[in-house]
Amino acid sequence: MGGSLSLVPVLDYFARRELLAAGLRPSAVTLPYPDGGAGATCTVHYWAPPGEPRLPPLLLVHGFGPRATWQWRCQVGPLSRHFHVVVPDLLGFGGSTYPFDTAPPPSEATQAATLAALLDALPGMEGRRVAAAGTSYGGFVTYWLARAAGAARVGPVVIASSDLLKTAADDRGFLKRAGEGWSGVDQILLPAEPAAMRKLLELASYRPPPRAMTPDFLLRDFIQVQLLAIPESFDLGQKSTPHGSILDYTCSSFQSQFAI
């Protein structure tokens, strides 16, 4: 497809409609960047209902790859009936930015500190206890947030599809499930071409979409718009976590483990 024509904005439009229908509105706030030194700032884009919470607050933290609107579009409707839902873009994703030209990329602890600052900046939220749910990479960020803030500030906590104890044996099992022709888990988990994206969908989905619904041009469009922008913000091979690099644990997105 030509560079001027993309279906991703169309899909993003429908995802945004789900959040709007749930009563959430987009906004952004400028905050100090924890790893940037004096005067460094970051911008956090988020969705939340306007005004102070009338329901218990709930923070939803997206995973590595999808925008927050795409990750939580199916959940915000039902959850918004019972919670004051806050859906941020993590730094380096969606509309959230940090000074990547002068500061190091955010660690999970930095992401968590930024989310804590965001919560304190929202109307009626400073110091208030907030429930939190994170998936995949967002599960690690949620873990760091709960650990740093303590149970009096953050809880209950749900961590979904974030394998905190993943080992090299899990990677080998993942590649065995994928079949022959793949040199490493990163080739599938951070796909650069349609075949790898299709394999990712096959492994990650309970009912993968039929091939007719995932033509090469659509998958290539998604890769170019969504995924290829991420390495500009994150050094995927070097960024450290409690258990290795992002590539080491991104496959946790596809191993269904829950911690409460």
Side-chain angles (χ1 to χ4, degrees), residues 69-157:
T69 50
W70 292 35
Q71 183 87 78
W72 299 109
R73 68 189 187 280
C74 295
Q75 288 78 28
V76 290
L79 289 174
S80 65
R81 302 186 195 114
H82 307 282
F83 298 96
H84 181 91
V85 179
V86 180
V87 187
D89 285 326
L90 292 172
L91 295 177
F93 298 84
S96 295
T97 62
Y98 70 96
F100 64 88
D101 53 343
T102 60
S107 65
E108 295 78 48
T110 299
Q111 297 275 19
T114 304
L115 291 183
L118 168 65
L119 294 174
D120 284 341
L122 296 180
M125 296 275 284
E126 184 174 5
R128 183 165 179 175
R129 193 167 191 249
V130 179
T135 183
S136 183
Y137 172 63
F140 285 81
V141 174
T142 303
Y143 164 78
W144 279 100
L145 175 63
R147 178 181 179 181
R153 180 72 168 100
V154 176
V157 172

Side-chain angles (χ1 to χ4, degrees), residues 116-197:
L118 168 65
L119 294 174
D120 284 341
L122 296 180
M125 296 275 284
E126 184 174 5
R128 183 165 179 175
R129 193 167 191 249
V130 179
T135 183
S136 183
Y137 172 63
F140 285 81
V141 174
T142 303
Y143 164 78
W144 279 100
L145 175 63
R147 178 181 179 181
R153 180 72 168 100
V154 176
V157 172
V158 176
I159 297 175
S161 299
S162 302
D163 191 351
L164 300 176
L165 302 177
K166 187 183 73 65
T167 66
D170 295 312
D171 286 347
R172 292 192 294 270
F174 181 84
L175 287 175
K176 184 176 181 180
R177 289 173 53 208
E180 297 181 356
W182 307 103
S183 59
V185 295
D186 57 307
Q187 189 179 2
I188 302 172
L189 299 176
L190 296 175
E193 44 88 19
M197 175 64 81

Side-chain angles (χ1 to χ4, degrees), residues 214-257:
T214 57
D216 283 0
F217 78 86
L218 180 61
L219 297 182
R220 189 176 295 111
D221 179 34
F222 178 83
I223 291 169
Q224 291 175 348
V225 175
Q226 290 286 89
L227 298 180
L228 294 187
I230 293 175
E232 297 176 6
S233 299
F234 292 88
D235 187 349
L236 301 178
Q238 300 297 324
K239 182 171 180 301
S240 62
T241 76
H243 300 283
S245 71
I246 282 182
L247 293 182
D248 289 334
Y249 71 73
T250 304
C251 69
S252 66
S253 302
F254 317 110
Q255 300 171 1
S256 297
Q257 296 198 6

